[in-house]
Structure formats: C-alpha cells, structure tokens
Amino acid sequence: DTEVTQTPKHLVMGMTNKKSLKCEQHMGHRAMYWYKQKAKKPPELMFVYSYEKLSINESVPSRFSPECPNSSLLNLHLHALQPEDSALYLCASSQIIEELFFGEGSRLTVL
Amino acid sequence: GENVEQHPSTLSVQEGDSAVIKCTYSDSASNYFPWYKQELGKRPQLIIDIRSNVGEKKDQRIAVTLNKTAKHFSLHITETQPEDSAVYFCAVNAGGTSYGKLTFGQGTILTVHP
C-alpha cells in the first residue's frame, strides 16, 4: 500500500464552523506533514510530525490545530477560519529525508 | 530560512525537444533535492531526486544534475511528450536538525506541444 488517503476531498465551511481534515497512511512512515497549497503556487509547509510528536510548526495560526493520534493517522482541526484560508490542504508522509508521498488533498472553501 | 529560486516560470516546447528547469538554493547544509510533477487537479508526485553525495542521476528520459559549489540543480527532460505537460516543482530540505522540512520552488509550467 503506497497510498496516503485524505478525507474529505471537498469541504465547505462557514467562518464559525468547526471541522476536521483526516489523513491516513499504512506505509510505516514515521513522519507526517500538512501542507497548504494555493492555486498556481507551491505547497507551503504547515506542520511536521515525527514519531507522533510535533517537530515543526511553521508559525501557523492557532485556528489550525494538528493532531497525530497514532503513527498512521494525522488530523487537522479547523476552527474560526477566514476566507483567505481557502486552499488545497495536502497531507504527506515519508521516512526521514526521503520521498514525500502526498495524498490527493482536501479542497477547502471558507465562506 | 531556505530560499529556493526556480526558473523559468513557464516553458513551452515542441514534442521531442528537451526541457531544462533550474533551481538555486541558499542553505549550504541542504543535502536532499527532489523534483515533483503536479498535473492539473492532482497531487504532487516525485519524479526524481538527488542527494548531495552525487552530481548526476538519470532515470530514462529524466535526469537531475547538482552543483553543490554553486548551489544549483537542474531537471533535464529529453524527448518530451505531451503527457509531460504539468507544473514541476523543485524542493530542498533544510540542513542541520530541521530534517523533514522541504522548501519548494515557485514552480515551472511546462507545456509540450504535439
């Protein structure tokens, strides 16, 4: 299994809503990532979990809250988002300093 | 932080021609340099990568060269085909203890005309 699975594929939410994005991998990778990608732009790193511990937070606003319940799962909890947070949110996994395997992404629209 | 510059931003070639995309980086401690291809509406996918202990790597029609002294690396695609049309991103890892942190270039939109 070389897949990173993300749900939901599409999400529309209001600025007062609370929602979560989910990511799952079964490749035994020890690092998992959240990236944000705006149209026609490169992916921007948000968070890195290494061995289930948060190792990098790229100064992401607190309205984004990551969680790593176990080595296969990664969540991104969303609360009080702004319209400018609308983007494609990509989950990825890897062994350390190895190929990033990206999921298909969750396309988020904040109204 | 790491600064990655990618050129050109757009590249248009005829089928069968070669395409070259170049990236420069700033952190001399970086040691991993992947290239990703992203088709419209799809996820980025690794097409080739190189580490700092080699100068060149080839995989069929795709090759990557690395010049550590000058801090630049390039993607070479030969005999281009229409299905090579996509956005290509270079990336560089942060050196030192910030493993797992990739910084991407701004991307190159490659169009291969039949």
Side-chain angles (χ1 to χ4, degrees), chain A residues 33-48:
Chain A
Y33 311 75
W34 282 113
Y35 279 85
K36 173 183 178 180
Q37 187 176 28
K38 292 279 214 177
K40 299 183 181 180
K41 294 291 186 182
E44 291 181 24
L45 182 65
M46 300 174 71
F47 302 103
V48 180

mmCIF file with all atom_site columns, all heavy atoms in Angstrom, chain A residues 33-48:
data_model
loop_
_atom_site.group_PDB
_atom_site.id
_atom_site.type_symbol
_atom_site.label_atom_id
_atom_site.label_alt_id
_atom_site.label_comp_id
_atom_site.label_asym_id
_atom_site.label_entity_id
_atom_site.label_seq_id
_atom_site.pdbx_PDB_ins_code
_atom_site.Cartn_x
_atom_site.Cartn_y
_atom_site.Cartn_z
_atom_site.occupancy
_atom_site.B_iso_or_equiv
_atom_site.pdbx_formal_charge
_atom_site.auth_seq_id
_atom_site.auth_comp_id
_atom_site.auth_asym_id
_atom_site.auth_atom_id
_atom_site.pdbx_PDB_model_num
ATOM 1   N N   . TYR A 1 33 ? 2.997  15.074 7.451   1.00 0.00 ? 33 TYR A N   1
ATOM 2   C CA  . TYR A 1 33 ? 3.063  16.509 7.190   1.00 0.00 ? 33 TYR A CA  1
ATOM 3   C C   . TYR A 1 33 ? 1.702  17.052 6.778   1.00 0.00 ? 33 TYR A C   1
ATOM 4   O O   . TYR A 1 33 ? 0.908  16.354 6.143   1.00 0.00 ? 33 TYR A O   1
ATOM 5   C CB  . TYR A 1 33 ? 4.009  16.794 6.004   1.00 0.00 ? 33 TYR A CB  1
ATOM 6   C CG  . TYR A 1 33 ? 5.349  16.125 6.054   1.00 0.00 ? 33 TYR A CG  1
ATOM 7   C CD1 . TYR A 1 33 ? 5.485  14.766 5.782   1.00 0.00 ? 33 TYR A CD1 1
ATOM 8   C CD2 . TYR A 1 33 ? 6.498  16.861 6.328   1.00 0.00 ? 33 TYR A CD2 1
ATOM 9   C CE1 . TYR A 1 33 ? 6.730  14.158 5.808   1.00 0.00 ? 33 TYR A CE1 1
ATOM 10  C CE2 . TYR A 1 33 ? 7.749  16.258 6.350   1.00 0.00 ? 33 TYR A CE2 1
ATOM 11  C CZ  . TYR A 1 33 ? 7.850  14.899 6.085   1.00 0.00 ? 33 TYR A CZ  1
ATOM 12  O OH  . TYR A 1 33 ? 9.088  14.306 6.108   1.00 0.00 ? 33 TYR A OH  1
ATOM 13  N N   . TRP A 1 34 ? 1.485  18.309 7.081   1.00 0.00 ? 34 TRP A N   1
ATOM 14  C CA  . TRP A 1 34 ? 0.415  19.080 6.467   1.00 0.00 ? 34 TRP A CA  1
ATOM 15  C C   . TRP A 1 34 ? 1.042  20.208 5.658   1.00 0.00 ? 34 TRP A C   1
ATOM 16  O O   . TRP A 1 34 ? 1.876  20.957 6.164   1.00 0.00 ? 34 TRP A O   1
ATOM 17  C CB  . TRP A 1 34 ? -0.534 19.682 7.496   1.00 0.00 ? 34 TRP A CB  1
ATOM 18  C CG  . TRP A 1 34 ? -1.523 18.721 8.061   1.00 0.00 ? 34 TRP A CG  1
ATOM 19  C CD1 . TRP A 1 34 ? -1.597 18.267 9.340   1.00 0.00 ? 34 TRP A CD1 1
ATOM 20  C CD2 . TRP A 1 34 ? -2.615 18.091 7.367   1.00 0.00 ? 34 TRP A CD2 1
ATOM 21  N NE1 . TRP A 1 34 ? -2.649 17.392 9.495   1.00 0.00 ? 34 TRP A NE1 1
ATOM 22  C CE2 . TRP A 1 34 ? -3.291 17.271 8.294   1.00 0.00 ? 34 TRP A CE2 1
ATOM 23  C CE3 . TRP A 1 34 ? -3.092 18.139 6.050   1.00 0.00 ? 34 TRP A CE3 1
ATOM 24  C CZ2 . TRP A 1 34 ? -4.409 16.504 7.958   1.00 0.00 ? 34 TRP A CZ2 1
ATOM 25  C CZ3 . TRP A 1 34 ? -4.193 17.381 5.711   1.00 0.00 ? 34 TRP A CZ3 1
ATOM 26  C CH2 . TRP A 1 34 ? -4.851 16.579 6.665   1.00 0.00 ? 34 TRP A CH2 1
ATOM 27  N N   . TYR A 1 35 ? 0.594  20.296 4.393   1.00 0.00 ? 35 TYR A N   1
ATOM 28  C CA  . TYR A 1 35 ? 0.970  21.384 3.516   1.00 0.00 ? 35 TYR A CA  1
ATOM 29  C C   . TYR A 1 35 ? -0.298 22.104 3.064   1.00 0.00 ? 35 TYR A C   1
ATOM 30  O O   . TYR A 1 35 ? -1.354 21.496 2.915   1.00 0.00 ? 35 TYR A O   1
ATOM 31  C CB  . TYR A 1 35 ? 1.693  20.876 2.265   1.00 0.00 ? 35 TYR A CB  1
ATOM 32  C CG  . TYR A 1 35 ? 3.151  20.568 2.431   1.00 0.00 ? 35 TYR A CG  1
ATOM 33  C CD1 . TYR A 1 35 ? 3.576  19.328 2.914   1.00 0.00 ? 35 TYR A CD1 1
ATOM 34  C CD2 . TYR A 1 35 ? 4.122  21.506 2.094   1.00 0.00 ? 35 TYR A CD2 1
ATOM 35  C CE1 . TYR A 1 35 ? 4.922  19.040 3.053   1.00 0.00 ? 35 TYR A CE1 1
ATOM 36  C CE2 . TYR A 1 35 ? 5.474  21.230 2.226   1.00 0.00 ? 35 TYR A CE2 1
ATOM 37  C CZ  . TYR A 1 35 ? 5.861  20.002 2.704   1.00 0.00 ? 35 TYR A CZ  1
ATOM 38  O OH  . TYR A 1 35 ? 7.196  19.722 2.842   1.00 0.00 ? 35 TYR A OH  1
ATOM 39  N N   . LYS A 1 36 ? -0.146 23.394 2.790   1.00 0.00 ? 36 LYS A N   1
ATOM 40  C CA  . LYS A 1 36 ? -1.227 24.193 2.228   1.00 0.00 ? 36 LYS A CA  1
ATOM 41  C C   . LYS A 1 36 ? -0.794 24.642 0.838   1.00 0.00 ? 36 LYS A C   1
ATOM 42  O O   . LYS A 1 36 ? 0.344  25.079 0.649   1.00 0.00 ? 36 LYS A O   1
ATOM 43  C CB  . LYS A 1 36 ? -1.461 25.417 3.115   1.00 0.00 ? 36 LYS A CB  1
ATOM 44  C CG  . LYS A 1 36 ? -2.454 26.432 2.578   1.00 0.00 ? 36 LYS A CG  1
ATOM 45  C CD  . LYS A 1 36 ? -2.535 27.622 3.531   1.00 0.00 ? 36 LYS A CD  1
ATOM 46  C CE  . LYS A 1 36 ? -3.471 28.698 3.021   1.00 0.00 ? 36 LYS A CE  1
ATOM 47  N NZ  . LYS A 1 36 ? -3.548 29.846 3.965   1.00 0.00 ? 36 LYS A NZ  1
ATOM 48  N N   . GLN A 1 37 ? -1.705 24.508 -0.135  1.00 0.00 ? 37 GLN A N   1
ATOM 49  C CA  . GLN A 1 37 ? -1.355 24.932 -1.491  1.00 0.00 ? 37 GLN A CA  1
ATOM 50  C C   . GLN A 1 37 ? -2.451 25.808 -2.066  1.00 0.00 ? 37 GLN A C   1
ATOM 51  O O   . GLN A 1 37 ? -3.593 25.372 -2.222  1.00 0.00 ? 37 GLN A O   1
ATOM 52  C CB  . GLN A 1 37 ? -1.109 23.729 -2.404  1.00 0.00 ? 37 GLN A CB  1
ATOM 53  C CG  . GLN A 1 37 ? -0.568 24.128 -3.771  1.00 0.00 ? 37 GLN A CG  1
ATOM 54  C CD  . GLN A 1 37 ? -0.229 22.946 -4.652  1.00 0.00 ? 37 GLN A CD  1
ATOM 55  O OE1 . GLN A 1 37 ? -0.815 21.871 -4.539  1.00 0.00 ? 37 GLN A OE1 1
ATOM 56  N NE2 . GLN A 1 37 ? 0.744  23.133 -5.549  1.00 0.00 ? 37 GLN A NE2 1
ATOM 57  N N   . LYS A 1 38 ? -2.090 27.019 -2.414  1.00 0.00 ? 38 LYS A N   1
ATOM 58  C CA  . LYS A 1 38 ? -2.987 27.915 -3.125  1.00 0.00 ? 38 LYS A CA  1
ATOM 59  C C   . LYS A 1 38 ? -2.801 27.690 -4.623  1.00 0.00 ? 38 LYS A C   1
ATOM 60  O O   . LYS A 1 38 ? -1.773 27.165 -5.068  1.00 0.00 ? 38 LYS A O   1
ATOM 61  C CB  . LYS A 1 38 ? -2.646 29.380 -2.781  1.00 0.00 ? 38 LYS A CB  1
ATOM 62  C CG  . LYS A 1 38 ? -2.945 29.765 -1.338  1.00 0.00 ? 38 LYS A CG  1
ATOM 63  C CD  . LYS A 1 38 ? -4.405 30.090 -1.165  1.00 0.00 ? 38 LYS A CD  1
ATOM 64  C CE  . LYS A 1 38 ? -4.607 31.173 -0.135  1.00 0.00 ? 38 LYS A CE  1
ATOM 65  N NZ  . LYS A 1 38 ? -6.039 31.537 -0.004  1.00 0.00 ? 38 LYS A NZ  1
ATOM 66  N N   . ALA A 1 39 ? -3.805 28.122 -5.376  1.00 0.00 ? 39 ALA A N   1
ATOM 67  C CA  . ALA A 1 39 ? -3.783 27.907 -6.826  1.00 0.00 ? 39 ALA A CA  1
ATOM 68  C C   . ALA A 1 39 ? -2.529 28.519 -7.449  1.00 0.00 ? 39 ALA A C   1
ATOM 69  O O   . ALA A 1 39 ? -2.155 29.653 -7.147  1.00 0.00 ? 39 ALA A O   1
ATOM 70  C CB  . ALA A 1 39 ? -5.029 28.506 -7.462  1.00 0.00 ? 39 ALA A CB  1
ATOM 71  N N   . LYS A 1 40 ? -1.867 27.730 -8.289  1.00 0.00 ? 40 LYS A N   1
ATOM 72  C CA  . LYS A 1 40 ? -0.697 28.152 -9.055  1.00 0.00 ? 40 LYS A CA  1
ATOM 73  C C   . LYS A 1 40 ? 0.488  28.508 -8.166  1.00 0.00 ? 40 LYS A C   1
ATOM 74  O O   . LYS A 1 40 ? 1.368  29.275 -8.572  1.00 0.00 ? 40 LYS A O   1
ATOM 75  C CB  . LYS A 1 40 ? -1.036 29.330 -9.973  1.00 0.00 ? 40 LYS A CB  1
ATOM 76  C CG  . LYS A 1 40 ? -2.118 29.007 -10.995 1.00 0.00 ? 40 LYS A CG  1
ATOM 77  C CD  . LYS A 1 40 ? -2.376 30.151 -11.933 1.00 0.00 ? 40 LYS A CD  1
ATOM 78  C CE  . LYS A 1 40 ? -3.476 29.801 -12.936 1.00 0.00 ? 40 LYS A CE  1
ATOM 79  N NZ  . LYS A 1 40 ? -3.763 30.895 -13.867 1.00 0.00 ? 40 LYS A NZ  1
ATOM 80  N N   . LYS A 1 41 ? 0.497  27.973 -6.953  1.00 0.00 ? 41 LYS A N   1
ATOM 81  C CA  . LYS A 1 41 ? 1.595  28.221 -6.012  1.00 0.00 ? 41 LYS A CA  1
ATOM 82  C C   . LYS A 1 41 ? 2.163  26.894 -5.531  1.00 0.00 ? 41 LYS A C   1
ATOM 83  O O   . LYS A 1 41 ? 1.504  25.861 -5.642  1.00 0.00 ? 41 LYS A O   1
ATOM 84  C CB  . LYS A 1 41 ? 1.087  29.022 -4.804  1.00 0.00 ? 41 LYS A CB  1
ATOM 85  C CG  . LYS A 1 41 ? 0.638  30.432 -5.138  1.00 0.00 ? 41 LYS A CG  1
ATOM 86  C CD  . LYS A 1 41 ? 1.801  31.296 -5.531  1.00 0.00 ? 41 LYS A CD  1
ATOM 87  C CE  . LYS A 1 41 ? 1.367  32.735 -5.710  1.00 0.00 ? 41 LYS A CE  1
ATOM 88  N NZ  . LYS A 1 41 ? 2.515  33.580 -6.138  1.00 0.00 ? 41 LYS A NZ  1
ATOM 89  N N   . PRO A 1 42 ? 3.378  26.905 -4.991  1.00 0.00 ? 42 PRO A N   1
ATOM 90  C CA  . PRO A 1 42 ? 3.925  25.649 -4.458  1.00 0.00 ? 42 PRO A CA  1
ATOM 91  C C   . PRO A 1 42 ? 3.299  25.296 -3.121  1.00 0.00 ? 42 PRO A C   1
ATOM 92  O O   . PRO A 1 42 ? 2.732  26.162 -2.448  1.00 0.00 ? 42 PRO A O   1
ATOM 93  C CB  . PRO A 1 42 ? 5.418  25.989 -4.277  1.00 0.00 ? 42 PRO A CB  1
ATOM 94  C CG  . PRO A 1 42 ? 5.451  27.460 -4.065  1.00 0.00 ? 42 PRO A CG  1
ATOM 95  C CD  . PRO A 1 42 ? 4.336  28.031 -4.902  1.00 0.00 ? 42 PRO A CD  1
ATOM 96  N N   . PRO A 1 43 ? 3.414  24.032 -2.739  1.00 0.00 ? 43 PRO A N   1
ATOM 97  C CA  . PRO A 1 43 ? 2.960  23.655 -1.395  1.00 0.00 ? 43 PRO A CA  1
ATOM 98  C C   . PRO A 1 43 ? 3.768  24.398 -0.340  1.00 0.00 ? 43 PRO A C   1
ATOM 99  O O   . PRO A 1 43 ? 4.980  24.560 -0.467  1.00 0.00 ? 43 PRO A O   1
ATOM 100 C CB  . PRO A 1 43 ? 3.226  22.148 -1.330  1.00 0.00 ? 43 PRO A CB  1
ATOM 101 C CG  . PRO A 1 43 ? 3.332  21.713 -2.755  1.00 0.00 ? 43 PRO A CG  1
ATOM 102 C CD  . PRO A 1 43 ? 3.912  22.873 -3.492  1.00 0.00 ? 43 PRO A CD  1
ATOM 103 N N   . GLU A 1 44 ? 3.090  24.835 0.718   1.00 0.00 ? 44 GLU A N   1
ATOM 104 C CA  . GLU A 1 44 ? 3.755  25.511 1.840   1.00 0.00 ? 44 GLU A CA  1
ATOM 105 C C   . GLU A 1 44 ? 3.612  24.639 3.080   1.00 0.00 ? 44 GLU A C   1
ATOM 106 O O   . GLU A 1 44 ? 2.504  24.264 3.464   1.00 0.00 ? 44 GLU A O   1
ATOM 107 C CB  . GLU A 1 44 ? 3.089  26.862 2.118   1.00 0.00 ? 44 GLU A CB  1
ATOM 108 C CG  . GLU A 1 44 ? 3.307  27.912 1.058   1.00 0.00 ? 44 GLU A CG  1
ATOM 109 C CD  . GLU A 1 44 ? 2.626  29.217 1.433   1.00 0.00 ? 44 GLU A CD  1
ATOM 110 O OE1 . GLU A 1 44 ? 2.398  29.453 2.641   1.00 0.00 ? 44 GLU A OE1 1
ATOM 111 O OE2 . GLU A 1 44 ? 2.305  29.993 0.519   1.00 0.00 ? 44 GLU A OE2 1
ATOM 112 N N   . LEU A 1 45 ? 4.728  24.364 3.711   1.00 0.00 ? 45 LEU A N   1
ATOM 113 C CA  . LEU A 1 45 ? 4.712  23.514 4.891   1.00 0.00 ? 45 LEU A CA  1
ATOM 114 C C   . LEU A 1 45 ? 3.985  24.204 6.043   1.00 0.00 ? 45 LEU A C   1
ATOM 115 O O   . LEU A 1 45 ? 4.212  25.391 6.305   1.00 0.00 ? 45 LEU A O   1
ATOM 116 C CB  . LEU A 1 45 ? 6.142  23.177 5.305   1.00 0.00 ? 45 LEU A CB  1
ATOM 117 C CG  . LEU A 1 45 ? 6.301  22.258 6.500   1.00 0.00 ? 45 LEU A CG  1
ATOM 118 C CD1 . LEU A 1 45 ? 5.741  20.876 6.192   1.00 0.00 ? 45 LEU A CD1 1
ATOM 119 C CD2 . LEU A 1 45 ? 7.771  22.166 6.908   1.00 0.00 ? 45 LEU A CD2 1
ATOM 120 N N   . MET A 1 46 ? 3.127  23.419 6.716   1.00 0.00 ? 46 MET A N   1
ATOM 121 C CA  . MET A 1 46 ? 2.442  23.926 7.909   1.00 0.00 ? 46 MET A CA  1
ATOM 122 C C   . MET A 1 46 ? 2.998  23.231 9.151   1.00 0.00 ? 46 MET A C   1
ATOM 123 O O   . MET A 1 46 ? 3.450  23.874 10.088  1.00 0.00 ? 46 MET A O   1
ATOM 124 C CB  . MET A 1 46 ? 0.946  23.679 7.810   1.00 0.00 ? 46 MET A CB  1
ATOM 125 C CG  . MET A 1 46 ? 0.270  24.334 6.620   1.00 0.00 ? 46 MET A CG  1
ATOM 126 S SD  . MET A 1 46 ? -1.464 23.858 6.493   1.00 0.00 ? 46 MET A SD  1
ATOM 127 C CE  . MET A 1 46 ? -2.188 24.730 7.886   1.00 0.00 ? 46 MET A CE  1
ATOM 128 N N   . PHE A 1 47 ? 2.913  21.905 9.170   1.00 0.00 ? 47 PHE A N   1
ATOM 129 C CA  . PHE A 1 47 ? 3.297  21.136 10.356  1.00 0.00 ? 47 PHE A CA  1
ATOM 130 C C   . PHE A 1 47 ? 4.037  19.870 9.920   1.00 0.00 ? 47 PHE A C   1
ATOM 131 O O   . PHE A 1 47 ? 3.750  19.311 8.870   1.00 0.00 ? 47 PHE A O   1
ATOM 132 C CB  . PHE A 1 47 ? 2.072  20.707 11.161  1.00 0.00 ? 47 PHE A CB  1
ATOM 133 C CG  . PHE A 1 47 ? 1.180  21.816 11.635  1.00 0.00 ? 47 PHE A CG  1
ATOM 134 C CD1 . PHE A 1 47 ? -0.025 22.069 10.982  1.00 0.00 ? 47 PHE A CD1 1
ATOM 135 C CD2 . PHE A 1 47 ? 1.528  22.593 12.723  1.00 0.00 ? 47 PHE A CD2 1
ATOM 136 C CE1 . PHE A 1 47 ? -0.855 23.088 11.418  1.00 0.00 ? 47 PHE A CE1 1
ATOM 137 C CE2 . PHE A 1 47 ? 0.695  23.615 13.164  1.00 0.00 ? 47 PHE A CE2 1
ATOM 138 C CZ  . PHE A 1 47 ? -0.493 23.857 12.508  1.00 0.00 ? 47 PHE A CZ  1
ATOM 139 N N   . VAL A 1 48 ? 4.949  19.422 10.801  1.00 0.00 ? 48 VAL A N   1
ATOM 140 C CA  . VAL A 1 48 ? 5.602  18.133 10.638  1.00 0.00 ? 48 VAL A CA  1
ATOM 141 C C   . VAL A 1 48 ? 5.482  17.371 11.950  1.00 0.00 ? 48 VAL A C   1
ATOM 142 O O   . VAL A 1 48 ? 5.784  17.910 13.013  1.00 0.00 ? 48 VAL A O   1
ATOM 143 C CB  . VAL A 1 48 ? 7.090  18.263 10.274  1.00 0.00 ? 48 VAL A CB  1
ATOM 144 C CG1 . VAL A 1 48 ? 7.711  16.872 10.113  1.00 0.00 ? 48 VAL A CG1 1
ATOM 145 C CG2 . VAL A 1 48 ? 7.286  19.081 9.010   1.00 0.00 ? 48 VAL A CG2 1
#
